[in-house]
Amino acid sequence: MTRFLLRRAATSALVLLGVMLATFLLARVVPASPAVAYIGPKAQPADIARVERELGLDQPLHIQFWRYLSDMLTGDWGDSIGTKQPVLQEIGTRLPATLELLIVAMVVAVAVGLVLGVIAARRKGTKLDHLIRLLSIGGVSMPAFWLGLLLQVVFVRALGLLPPTGRLGPETPFVSPITELTGLYTVDALLTGNMTAFGDAFLHILLPAATLAAYPAGVVARMTRATMIETLSQDHVRTARAYGLAERTVTWRIALRNALPPVTTVFGLTLAYSLTGTFFVEVVFNWPGLGQFAAQALLNVDYPAIMGVTVLGAVGYVLVNLVVDLIQARLDPRVGLA
């Protein structure tokens, strides 16, 4: 285990270094000037030159990258050109909103995907199986921003059941303010017994979480169906049935456990993908997380913010894959930590 973790740490460091270098170079080849974005549209040449010196943009690229890398390792991720605040502080402020959305969406995706996949495998070839396969293909192929707009039209405009955007209604911070403990509004409201705020936060997160969950739920459902069909035809499952075990026990406790390792791998990849997929959802639903911050940073050529969000996403991707490998080895002893 120790050797495995050391190897993964070394390869992860190389991956992060490559991501940082690629993002750094791409941010520097953009025609727009960060100094102009920093000063404003009426920037004068003398002011631009002064700001470039202050930001170190007049130095050679290799010196700029080395300075950025050394500063980042010491906790200085630079200041956002758009907000004039430290990037690490901006990320820390917005990260809880993104994590809350991601956690709720992934819980929904796993629950819905596993249940639909098992049902489709048990009812292989029936109309219900075809319907579940159609829904899973739709969830995988439908763009997140389009699905979000469609859900807003149906549940907000047509039915008036759910709020359109944001994390809370405009009156909640005044009527039932949330005492922030974790930054996750639903969790904080439950911990402090603020059920009014919990209900409002829960209603606001439903649509963006459903939008974000559509893709991973479709992937999990398709993979679960495929692996369950294969597992249900194996000898140990037929033996369990021959011993008279209930079909529910055979399906959910024996077959599903053996079908989980491939599903876990695919879910890990979709979870890592969803770390960046939240950006589109946050823009559509005006969710004040990292997605909005990254979108605004791209528009403002805010390269410190772009670098910070990219590095954070790369770290998340590496950690998710490491956790998936450990879980897969736990579920299936035949999988070694090589």
Side-chain angles (χ1 to χ4, degrees):
M1 174 68 73
T2 302
R3 291 170 57 190
F4 169 76
L5 292 176
L6 289 176
R7 284 197 302 269
R8 288 301 295 265
T11 55
S12 299
L14 292 176
V15 170
L16 293 176
L17 182 61
V19 169
M20 292 172 64
L21 179 59
T23 308
F24 181 85
L25 294 176
L26 289 174
R28 292 308 192 278
V29 300
V30 175
S33 171
V36 174
Y38 186 87
I39 301 172
K42 297 182 179 180
Q44 300 298 318
D47 296 327
I48 295 175
R50 175 180 54 82
V51 171
E52 287 181 345
R53 286 194 302 271
E54 293 176 355
L55 299 178
L57 300 176
D58 58 337
Q59 300 292 325
L61 286 180
H62 66 279
I63 295 179
Q64 292 184 44
F65 181 71
W66 175 253
R67 287 180 55 186
Y68 179 81
L69 184 61
S70 58
D71 289 342
M72 174 169 281
L73 293 177
T74 58
D76 182 7
W77 289 27
D79 294 337
S80 169
I81 294 176
T83 65
K84 309 298 190 296
Q85 299 297 319
V87 171
L88 202 57
Q89 176 182 323
E90 294 285 354
I91 290 177
T93 302
R94 292 168 170 79
L95 182 59
T98 297
L99 285 179
E100 181 178 34
L101 176 59
L102 187 63
I103 291 171
V104 174
M106 292 304 104
V107 170
V108 172
V110 171
V112 173
L114 284 178
V115 171
L116 292 182
V118 172
I119 294 174
R122 289 285 308 278
R123 302 289 188 270
K124 179 184 176 182
T126 64
K127 292 182 179 179
L128 182 58
D129 176 30
H130 295 320
L131 176 62
I132 292 175
R133 292 168 65 187
L134 180 63
L135 292 175
S136 62
I137 292 175
V140 171
S141 59
M142 194 175 299
F145 67 89
W146 188 86
L147 178 60
L149 294 174
L150 180 63
L151 292 179
Q152 285 178 329
V153 170
V154 174
F155 290 97
V156 178
R157 185 184 182 92
L159 301 178
L161 297 177
L162 296 172
T165 57
R167 297 183 74 187
L168 292 171
E171 70 284 349
T172 300
F174 302 99
V175 177
S176 300
I178 295 178
T179 302
E180 292 196 27
L181 303 175
T182 64
L184 314 180
Y185 282 179
T186 52
V187 175
D188 292 344
L190 281 177
L191 292 177
T192 57
N194 190 344
M195 301 311 297
T196 301
F198 171 77
D200 190 32
F202 179 75
L203 290 177
H204 276 80
I205 204 173
L206 283 179
L207 287 184
T211 303
L212 185 60
Y215 176 81
V219 173
V220 170
R222 288 176 60 82
M223 180 57 69
T224 302
R225 177 186 180 275
T227 55
M228 281 293 294
I229 289 175
E230 180 181 357
T231 304
L232 287 172
S233 63
Q234 292 180 355
D235 292 339
H236 70 279
V237 175
R238 289 196 292 266
T239 301
R241 290 195 179 109
Y243 274 106
L245 295 178
E247 190 63 28
R248 179 180 301 177
T249 302
V250 172
T251 300
W252 294 98
R253 297 189 61 181
I254 298 177
L256 182 58
R257 177 180 175 83
N258 288 275
L260 277 181
V263 177
T264 304
T265 302
V266 171
F267 174 72
L269 296 175
T270 57
L271 173 58
Y273 169 81
S274 298
L275 291 174
T276 54
T278 56
F279 293 178
F280 300 102
V281 177
E282 289 182 9
V283 171
V284 172
F285 289 95
N286 195 27
W287 193 263
L290 290 177
Q292 278 197 341
F293 182 57
Q296 196 62 41
L298 290 171
L299 294 176
N300 293 334
V301 200
D302 190 349
Y303 74 88
I306 295 172
M307 290 287 295
V309 174
T310 303
V311 170
L312 182 66
V315 170
Y317 195 95
V318 168
L319 290 178
V320 165
N321 279 277
L322 174 61
V323 172
V324 167
D325 287 343
L326 295 175
I327 293 176
Q328 192 171 18
R330 177 68 175 175
L331 291 174
D332 189 353
R334 296 171 299 178
V335 178
L337 295 176

